[in-house]
Amino acid sequence: MINLTIDGVKISVEEGTTILEAARLLGKDIPTLCHDERLKPHGACRICVVEVEGAKSLLASCSTPVQEGMVVHTESKSVIEARKTVLELLISNHPLDCLTCEKAGDCKLQDYCYRYDIKEDKYGGEKIKYELDDSNEFYICDQNKCILCGKCVRVCNELQCTGAIGFAKRGFYTHIAVPFDRKLYESDCVSCGNCVAVCPVGALTVKKRDKYRAWEVKKVRTTCSYCGVGCQMYLLVKDDKVVGVEPCFSEPNKGLMCVKGRFAYNFINHRDRLKKPLIKKNGEFVEVEWDEALDYVASRLKKIKDEYGSDSIAGFASARCTNEDNYMFQKFMRAVIGTNNVDHCARLCHATTVTGLATTFGSGAMTNSIGELEKADCIFIIGSNTTETHPVTATYIKRAKLNGAKIIVADPREIELTKGADVFMQLKPGTNVALLNAMMNVIIEEGLEDKKFIEERCENFEELVEIVKQYTPEKVEEITGVKAELIKEAARLYAMSEKSSIVYSMGITQHSSGVEHVYSVANLAMLCGKIGKEGCGVNPLRGQNNVQGACDMGCLPDVFPGYQKVFVKENLEKFEGAWGVKLSDKVGLTVPEVFKAAHDGKVKALYIMGENPMVSDPDIKHVEEALNSLEFLVVQDIFLTDTAKLADVVLPAASFAEKDGTFTNSERRVQRVRRAINSVGEAREDWRIIKELMIRLGYECSLNSSKDVMEEISKLTPQYRGIDYERIEEKGLQWPVLDKNHSGTPILHVEKFARGKGLFKPAHYKAAAETPDSEYPLILTTGRVLYHYHTMTMTGKNEGLMNIVGEPFVEINPMNASKLGIKDGEMVEVTSRRGSVKVRAKVTERIEEDVVFMPFHFKEANTLTNTALDEVTKEPELKVCTVRINRL
Ligand SMILES: Nc1nc2c(c(=O)[nH]1)N[C@H]1C(S)=C(S)[C@@H](COP(=O)(O)OP(=O)(O)OC[C@H]3O[C@@H](n4cnc5c(=O)[nH]c(N)nc54)[C@H](O)[C@@H]3O)O[C@H]1N2
Ligand SMILES: Nc1nc2c(c(=O)[nH]1)N[C@H]1C(S)=C(S)[C@@H](COP(=O)(O)OP(=O)(O)OC[C@H]3O[C@@H](n4cnc5c(=O)[nH]c(N)nc54)[C@H](O)[C@@H]3O)O[C@H]1N2
Ligand code: SF4
Ligand code: SF4
Ligand code: SF4
Ligand SMILES: [Mo]
């Protein structure tokens, strides 16, 4: 510890602390402009200078470490003089437009000029007039107000790692620019807004949809409702309307966000929000009062239950909704309806992970934390387009790369992370098992496996050896199209790096043998002992904001909350005791099975809370037929979706901005969601709607707040035992949280695996359900783009995003395009065994030959996809089907 005195007050701080940090600990507000605690000190703006007794000159407090016995003055006369000079120089080249400047009231330059009494431009020097760049959809760059603190450039290069902007020219003419002084929209900028968030002045400001001044808005801390990263943010509220979003500087995002969370909030107060319950009468929706709608739903469900039995009813929960909503939903299905027919989109997503990792490790969740990726020495990204789908997680990977980590990518498409990757394996869709087996073959062949780890912590190694022996890199080159040399190189890098982490997502899970793809990932990690250690692990990036939570809450047909199997007697008794009813021990139906059963007339009623299968499920025609076969369909959503249009009753739900609760992010972190505005129209919180139905169906419910619901959750869910709202007020906790004093679990399987020993589950490569033939010669793989979220009920309402990606397209390799005579930008017809659609061709080198890609945000993709399922988990093969393409 170092002892020093600041403005007459003694303090001791750790060695290496800067004077600025020490002063802040004492509550001293030393002004800063270029400082950002996430970046290395820059010392450029000099406004943070302080006087240190005995020093020859004033010192920049942000970059000067404390020394024993130092005596510091933060506001001495000479300090104030120096700061005044800095400010005078800054404003000598500044427009002083505070009257109309968007930043007024929240501007450091304005604040400091006020604080130090700087009123006018003393120098009256030459001012350069820069043209405004408003070409970005979401923010404006006004160089005239730039003070060259450089924070935007450093954030974009060192934190966001996009490198879209830099300094141009020198001396007086220095300014921030995209390469060649082009406009922002022509640059690599991904509109994350992370530069805007740190600009201390009005040089970078958001394009506001509603006018507001900083002091007029209420800031409500909450969790982003798009992807599973779970970024912490503030909703800015004016007049009971969400008018903006700002990032929050805590875990997991530490002040970073992506374009969707940051700028696509206008769905919340959008005019199309459902505002009243709707009942379809004579084929037309009619607005009704809540009582009528709820009475009607309850009576129809009761009638169907009485007539056909509990298992004729099914429910889809929602990974978009809170834990509290989902807990209540499955409780409703199980305790009130009496069936385990409850499932949700995890089936289309990480069902193979939940089962695959539970089988091999004993727990089907991300083993390590997002932040640890930055500390890894080697990151193997397989089937995850991380920069587009988990953009903030990707920044940790890119920073690891800046720190020297090795990057391996396996994907049929070039993704952003393949740029500068050490090894890029462009494999054929569906061939992961072969590829991973070949990597293990090399590792064992070269003796690179972690023998001690295998010996002490794993079982069934012999079978693995036996099977992977058959997958030589040369043989696998033929299956995957990846050069044997690359496979060897990847294997060595992964096995020989100290901290190797695997990141995977839908490229692994969405296959008809998906669970085996997951086993193979787990096998590789165990083989090299890269589990239970910091910077290592098997990291399935969970997709939806609360898909981890919806699974944890038991919105799966075989488990109660906390993955407690419904057919195990003790579990059944536990929940029967807690809920006071008899429960079914029969495993319920999965999403695809529900559609089939509806088709076959076995499921008569379906309750969908926050899912849109008419766009998101494979073979939409089949989905539509199934939904039309139902006697009764209820959809509870925030918009009248394609699915809701088919419903008998539509119930308007409150959005995340209108409710209290929790989401559990991809790294198992349970975080708060807070009500920022009153419900739009007459929308109600999802769990309250469910509660009303429980009561109408004769089940007592005394839970009166989301907090009450969490209390019940924590009593019944071992992983959540130590969680309550007070504890996660500032910072979420990562489950398992064993009791009220336990601080959560950033890394799983540290001493031993959740199942005891890690189980090797070797698998043979199996071809996808459809393989190319002369009629359908191309493989179609589907996925996402940065700028849209799933079925676009939310992002589709954002003009900026629609201006960037406004229509469906198909990516096709130039070789295939020229064979078919297709030019970039032309409309083409894509046909599979299920249907045919017309979309625009995007001719691009990024995709390999004989493979085409379509985003599934638009309905076209799932008109084509195949309903083939992974046998074990019933996850559909959304990543491979075959198609042909014709010119129009
Ligand atoms: N912008 C945006 N972000 C999202 C979402 C969104 O809709 N939009 N959705 C969220 C959800 S729920 C999820 S599940 C995640 C999904 O996140 P990701 O899985 O990253 O997204 P995808 O685009 O489905 O597919 C990822 C990659 O898999 C590759 N791939 C296809 N087939 C194969 C294969 O056989 N092997 C390998 N190795 N790779 C293959 C594709 O080329 C693609 O680059 O994203 C989440 N984040
Ligand atoms: N071809 C193809 N298809 C795919 C995939 C793929 O890669 N390729 N990926 C699959 C994957 S991984 C996933 S996760 C699924 C996603 O599929 P879905 O879950 O069906 O997609 P979303 O658009 O997220 O649907 C969520 C719905 O919830 C509503 N909603 C939002 N907030 C709330 C709320 O607070 N309350 C209520 N009640 N409703 C709310 C939204 O308006 C929306 O209608 O798609 C799958 N489909
Ligand atoms: S950037 Fe700050 S000082 Fe400059 S005009 Fe805007 S509010 Fe005023
Ligand atoms: S918005 Fe993001 S990508 Fe674009 S310049 Fe700013 S930090 Fe860089
Ligand atoms: S990375 Fe995910 S959680 Fe973060 S802002 Fe973007 S969509 Fe939201
Ligand atoms: Mo997903």
Side-chain angles (χ1 to χ4, degrees):
M1 297 300 270
I2 307 280
N3 303 296
L4 71 160
T5 309
I6 300 177
D7 294 343
V9 185
K10 289 197 162 55
I11 179 172
S12 36
V13 294
E14 265 174 55
E15 200 179 338
T17 307
T18 61
I19 298 175
L20 177 69
E21 287 161 346
R24 283 188 175 169
L25 288 174
L26 287 176
K28 302 270 166 208
D29 178 21
I30 297 180
T32 60
L33 289 168
C34 72
H35 178 73
D36 186 314
E37 56 191 42
R38 300 166 298 174
L39 296 163
K40 279 187 220 82
H42 197 50
C45 75
R46 308 272 320 158
I47 196 142
C48 70
V49 289
V50 292
E51 188 178 332
V52 174
E53 287 184 13
K56 284 197 210 81
S57 56
L58 299 178
L59 299 174
S61 63
C62 72
S63 53
T64 311
V66 293
Q67 275 173 21
E68 187 59 38
M70 239 181 192
V71 179
V72 180
H73 301 281
T74 68
E75 292 276 339
S76 68
K77 196 157 165 284
S78 61
V79 166
I80 291 173
E81 280 313 308
R83 288 188 189 150
K84 283 188 162 186
T85 309
V86 169
L87 290 168
E88 277 160 357
L89 284 168
L90 285 177
I91 67 160
S92 75
N93 196 8
H94 197 89
L96 299 183
D97 281 343
C98 301
L99 283 182
T100 50
C101 181
E102 280 300 346
K103 195 72 173 177
D106 188 24
C107 171
K108 283 199 165 185
L109 185 59
Q110 194 186 43
D111 290 350
Y112 296 150
C113 283
Y114 176 74
R115 178 161 154 186
Y116 295 108
D117 234 355
I118 306 296
K119 292 204 171 74
E120 57 195 358
D121 171 9
K122 220 162 87 179
Y123 300 96
E126 184 195 349
K127 297 191 187 195
I128 308 170
K129 189 86 188 120
Y130 290 101
E131 205 186 313
L132 211 72
D133 185 350
D134 63 356
S135 67
N136 183 283
E137 294 288 341
F138 306 101
Y139 67 93
I140 301 170
C141 176
D142 182 355
Q143 293 281 327
N144 301 300
K145 290 178 185 164
C146 176
I147 57 168
L148 292 174
C149 67
K151 267 164 91 172
C152 54
V153 172
R154 287 152 72 218
V155 165
C156 187
N157 286 275
E158 295 169 37
L159 294 179
Q160 166 63 25
C161 305
T162 295
I165 50 175
F167 289 103
K169 302 243 171 85
R170 284 172 171 264
F172 184 61
Y173 298 98
T174 309
H175 62 280
I176 311 292
V178 308
F180 313 111
D181 262 333
R182 284 178 309 191
K183 294 265 188 187
L184 276 161
Y185 84 102
E186 298 164 299
S187 74
D188 289 339
C189 172
V190 290
S191 301
C192 63
N194 292 327
C195 53
V196 183
V198 294
C199 179
V201 295
L204 291 169
T205 51
V206 295
K207 285 185 177 169
K208 292 180 180 167
R209 304 177 145 259
D210 303 273
K211 281 203 167 245
Y212 63 85
R213 285 300 197 184
W215 59 84
E216 292 175 321
V217 293
K218 174 176 82 171
K219 289 190 185 183
V220 182
R221 164 98 181 256
T222 192
T223 305
C224 177
S225 77
Y226 286 110
C227 90
V229 179
C231 291
Q232 293 300 291
M233 63 186 210
Y234 297 98
L235 291 177
L236 310 186
V237 179
K238 184 185 171 189
D239 301 334
D240 208 29
K241 181 177 181 190
V242 175
V243 295
V245 167
E246 279 176 8
C248 169
F249 280 72
S250 82
E251 300 277 357
N253 51 312
K254 296 192 187 132
L256 302 183
M257 290 186 78
C258 84
V259 59
K260 295 178 295 303
R262 181 72 204 266
F263 296 117
Y265 54 81
N266 65 304
F267 73 89
I268 298 169
N269 291 95
H270 197 270
R271 60 178 179 279
D272 291 350
R273 277 288 301 276
L274 286 167
K275 299 188 187 72
K276 260 185 127 30
L278 307 171
I279 295 183
K280 205 175 261 166
K281 298 180 179 170
N282 303 320
E284 294 281 328
F285 281 124
V286 182
E287 286 192 354
V288 298
E289 298 306 320
W290 268 105
D291 276 336
E292 182 182 343
L294 292 167
D295 288 344
Y296 182 64
V297 173
S299 70
R300 290 290 306 263
L301 289 177
K302 184 167 184 315
K303 194 158 165 280
I304 291 172
K305 178 179 162 178
D306 291 346
E307 203 170 322
Y308 305 103
S310 300
D311 288 337
S312 68
I313 303 177
F316 295 164
S318 176
R320 310 304 300 276
C321 290
T322 62
N323 286 318
E324 292 74 1
D325 295 332
N326 281 294
Y327 174 83
M328 288 290 275
F329 189 84
Q330 58 85 39
K331 182 175 175 180
F332 172 70
M333 293 305 295
R334 295 194 156 106
V336 183
I337 301 292
T339 178
N340 286 313
N341 289 343
V342 51
D343 201 10
H344 71 288
C345 71
R347 190 64 48 198
L348 312 177
C349 184
H350 272 295
T352 49
T353 295
V354 173
T355 302
L357 296 188
T359 308
T360 48
F361 299 164
S363 169
M366 183 165 166
T367 62
N368 290 52
S369 305
I370 293 169
E372 278 170 56
L373 284 167
E374 196 169 351
K375 300 174 189 156
D377 303 315
C378 172
I379 305 175
F380 179 21
I381 300 116
I382 178 161
S384 156
N385 185 6
T386 331
T387 56
E388 298 203 51
T389 56
H390 296 89
V392 172
T393 301
T395 68
Y396 287 88
I397 298 176
K398 292 191 276 183
R399 289 198 295 277
K401 185 171 161 49
L402 286 183
N403 297 339
K406 302 288 182 212
I407 303 291
I408 308 169
V409 177
D411 201 295
R413 296 188 305 149
E414 271 175 35
I415 54 172
E416 192 189 326
L417 291 175
T418 50
K419 279 187 221 141
D422 296 271
V423 183
F424 171 36
M425 300 184 281
Q426 196 163 19
L427 79 175
K428 291 258 173 290
T431 62
N432 299 301
V433 172
L435 183 83
L436 291 161
N437 279 351
M439 285 176 71
M440 291 188 270
N441 176 299
V442 174
I443 289 166
I444 295 174
E445 194 61 34
E446 302 188 0
L448 301 175
E449 74 274 26
D450 186 337
K451 298 185 183 67
K452 188 158 172 275
F453 187 89
I454 297 167
E455 171 67 30
E456 288 171 6
R457 300 206 35 197
C458 307
E459 57 191 10
N460 200 31
F461 181 54
E462 302 69 32
E463 196 190 341
L464 181 85
V465 175
E466 204 44 51
I467 289 184
V468 302
K469 213 189 270 171
Q470 302 162 44
Y471 291 83
T472 61
E474 291 70 24
K475 177 175 156 189
V476 167
E477 176 172 336
E478 278 168 31
I479 303 172
T480 59
V482 180
K483 291 259 172 296
E485 256 331 293
L486 284 180
I487 300 176
K488 289 181 194 167
E489 211 180 311
R492 289 173 196 140
L493 275 182
Y494 177 79
M496 288 161 75
S497 301
E498 167 127 354
K499 294 180 179 171
S500 296
S501 177
I502 304 178
V503 167
Y504 79 84
S505 202
M506 298 301 101
I508 284 287
T509 61
Q510 292 173 330
H511 297 283
S512 55
S513 55
V515 77
E516 294 176 345
H517 296 234
V518 174
Y519 291 156
S520 303
V521 171
N523 292 341
L524 174 65
M526 287 189 288
L527 180 68
C528 300
K530 307 293 185 203
I531 287 280
K533 298 169 190 164
E534 191 185 57
C536 296
V538 170
N539 298 299
L541 303 182
R542 299 303 302 258
Q544 301 257 44
N545 56 320
N546 196 35
V547 66
Q548 183 64 56
C551 292
D552 298 345
M553 292 304 107
C555 292
L556 298 169
D558 59 335
V559 291
F560 292 122
Y563 307 95
Q564 304 174 78
K565 297 278 182 200
V566 294
F567 47 80
V568 172
K569 197 160 156 270
E570 298 88 81
N571 300 340
L572 200 68
E573 285 168 358
K574 171 176 169 181
F575 282 90
E576 286 181 340
W579 295 342
V581 286
K582 271 278 181 234
L583 295 170
S584 165
D585 64 353
K586 186 177 149 210
V587 171
L589 299 175
T590 59
V591 169
E593 288 168 331
V594 167
F595 289 129
K596 180 152 191 313
H599 225 271
D600 300 346
K602 290 185 189 127
V603 161
K604 302 284 184 192
L606 178 59
Y607 194 130
I608 303 182
M609 167 175 89
E611 290 211 343
N612 191 10
M614 279 297 293
V615 182
S616 61
D617 270 61
D619 193 356
I620 289 177
K621 198 164 140 266
H622 166 82
V623 173
E624 183 166 12
E625 284 165 8
L627 294 179
N628 284 333
S629 314
L630 293 165
E631 279 188 19
F632 189 53
L633 174 64
V634 186
V635 173
Q636 181 168 311
D637 205 292
I638 59 176
F639 291 107
L640 190 67
T641 61
D642 285 326
T643 308
K645 284 179 190 150
L646 301 180
D648 298 285
V649 181
V650 178
L651 301 175
S655 80
F656 84 112
E658 298 141 48
K659 58 179 148 188
D660 279 307
T662 54
F663 292 155
T664 305
N665 82 347
S666 181
E667 50 174 1
R668 299 169 275 108
R669 193 185 294 276
V670 185
Q671 309 191 105
R672 276 303 309 272
V673 173
R674 290 185 184 83
R675 178 202 295 262
I677 56 169
N678 288 307
S679 290
V680 168
E682 291 178 23
R684 290 189 183 176
E685 287 161 277
D686 287 279
W687 74 267
R688 284 189 197 274
I689 303 173
I690 302 296
K691 174 183 165 175
E692 286 295 323
L693 288 171
M694 284 179 166
I695 293 169
R696 279 173 171 75
L697 285 162
Y699 184 86
E700 288 272 331
C701 178
S702 58
L703 302 170
N704 286 318
S705 66
S706 60
K707 195 163 181 265
D708 289 350
V709 182
M710 182 46 86
E711 269 169 32
E712 186 168 313
I713 293 170
S714 70
K715 281 196 198 107
L716 294 169
T717 313
Q719 295 87 338
Y720 285 63
R721 192 160 293 145
I723 290 177
D724 61 42
Y725 282 10
E726 283 74 38
R727 292 197 69 196
I728 56 172
E729 203 43 47
E730 286 297 315
K731 202 172 149 207
L733 286 169
Q734 287 172 279
W735 68 248
V737 188
L738 303 177
D739 58 48
K740 296 276 179 204
N741 299 314
H742 187 250
S743 56
T745 315
I747 307 178
L748 297 179
H749 319 298
V750 173
E751 299 290 328
K752 60 181 180 58
F753 283 95
R755 75 178 283 280
K757 289 224 162 173
L759 177 67
F760 283 108
K761 280 284 281 179
H764 278 292
Y765 159 71
K766 292 190 193 91
E770 283 187 345
T771 48
D773 53 27
S774 54
E775 205 181 342
Y776 299 101
L778 300 168
I779 296 179
L780 167 70
T781 188
T782 60
R784 296 155 170 81
V785 298
L786 171 66
Y787 298 100
H788 280 296
Y789 198 80
H790 289 164
T791 67
M792 296 188 358
T793 61
M794 292 145 77
T795 52
K797 299 194 169 54
N798 187 284
E799 239 173 79
L801 295 177
M802 288 304 282
N803 287 341
I804 301 173
V805 181
E807 59 173 14
F809 58 85
V810 58
E811 284 180 1
I812 177 167
N813 177 287
M815 286 291 287
N816 293 108
S818 81
K819 262 192 250 166
L820 295 163
I822 294 166
K823 287 197 207 67
D824 185 41
E826 270 180 358
M827 291 300 284
V828 295
E829 186 180 47
V830 188
T831 308
S832 80
R833 290 186 173 82
R834 271 74 47 194
S836 187
V837 297
K838 293 186 178 67
V839 291
R840 208 170 288 286
K842 219 181 221 182
V843 178
T844 165
E845 296 272 1
R846 86 179 278 201
I847 190 147
E848 66 182 322
E849 254 179 77
D850 302 334
V851 180
V852 297
F853 169 85
M854 278 172 75
F856 85 97
H857 306 297
F858 305 86
K859 236 176 150 162
E860 281 74 2
N862 276 326
T863 304
L864 304 171
T865 45
N866 192 356
T867 50
L869 302 181
D870 173 66
E871 251 173 63
V872 180
T873 63
K874 315 294 173 199
E875 173 152 355
E877 186 148 61
L878 294 161
K879 285 287 178 272
V880 189
C881 74
T882 57
V883 295
R884 69 166 172 267
I885 296 190
N886 299 325
R887 280 187 69 177
L888 277 178

